[in-house]
Amino acid sequence: ITANVPSYVPYLAEISGLSCTKAGNGGGQISRNGTIYNNIMNRDFSNFDLITLEGFVNDWYGNAPMGEIGDTTTDTFLGSLYNALVHIKESNPNATLVLITDHHTRKTSSFPNFDIFSKNTEGLTQQDYRDATTELCNFLGIPVIHAGEKCGMSYLTPDYYLDQIHH
């Protein structure tokens, strides 16, 4: 969750009794050595019991090349995500790692190119990145919460969003 954006995380911590560390990067990407990737690769995860990663809308919006399952290059979305997930699990094999997909966005004056049906310059939609994330996590045995498809939040429920992206 983006570190400086209000979110559900404090409420989750309160009702679960867990302490939380918000370390997200607003506007960041995991691909191409982006700020999310560097944050993950430079973090020590050894003291965490539960680690959640959410998002990747900025990789779609930033036209990150998708790559394919098996990539390990940071030039692609899937290669960067793979490296980050392996780093987390190698840092703490006993931690529960869960990915949360981004949710549907819509066009606004602030985000004129955000639309669930729009394709980026790579010819890919947000859903393509969600599907690739799920496929990679399936290979690695990492659970995925499908916020983009199954949470009841979408561009049709703008009251749940802070800015059409963050909830």
Side-chain angles (χ1 to χ4, degrees):
I1 303 297
T2 303
N4 59 348
V5 173
S7 75
Y8 61 85
V9 174
Y11 303 106
L12 181 61
E14 183 180 329
I15 63 173
S16 69
L18 298 172
S19 61
C20 82
T21 301
K22 285 177 58 175
N25 296 97
Q29 294 183 4
I30 199 163
S31 59
R32 299 179 285 203
N33 290 308
T35 55
I36 294 172
Y37 181 82
N38 289 320
N39 185 359
I40 291 169
M41 299 307 282
N42 293 311
R43 183 170 296 277
D44 176 11
F45 291 95
S46 61
N47 292 320
F48 294 95
D49 296 316
L50 171 65
I51 301 160
T52 62
L53 296 179
E54 179 178 357
F56 313 123
V57 68
N58 293 318
D59 291 281
W60 165 74
Y61 193 69
N63 305 301
M66 180 67 72
E68 54 189 59
I69 300 295
D71 278 356
T72 58
T73 175
T74 57
D75 294 331
T76 67
F77 172 72
L78 283 171
S80 298
L81 183 57
Y82 172 83
N83 290 333
L85 296 174
V86 168
H87 171 74
I88 292 168
K89 288 306 285 182
E90 287 179 347
S91 297
N92 188 343
N94 297 318
T96 299
L97 173 59
V98 178
L99 262 74
I100 305 170
T101 62
D102 61 336
H103 45 269
H104 303 296
T105 56
R106 69 177 182 162
K107 291 181 181 182
T108 66
S109 59
S110 300
F111 302 103
N113 296 322
F114 274 35
D115 185 286
I116 63 169
F117 305 111
S118 297
K119 293 184 177 183
N120 64 13
T121 60
E122 296 288 315
L124 301 168
T125 64
Q126 281 183 274
Q127 190 63 48
D128 293 325
Y129 288 83
R130 285 188 207 103
D131 292 344
T133 297
T134 300
E135 184 179 6
L136 178 60
C137 288
N138 287 343
F139 274 102
L140 298 174
I142 297 171
V144 177
I145 296 172
H146 296 275
E149 297 95 340
K150 299 178 182 178
C151 72
M153 292 173 28
S154 75
Y155 68 97
L156 299 173
T157 56
D159 291 347
Y160 293 125
Y161 293 92
L162 298 172
D163 58 6
Q164 301 308 318
I165 300 172
H166 302 98
H167 56 269

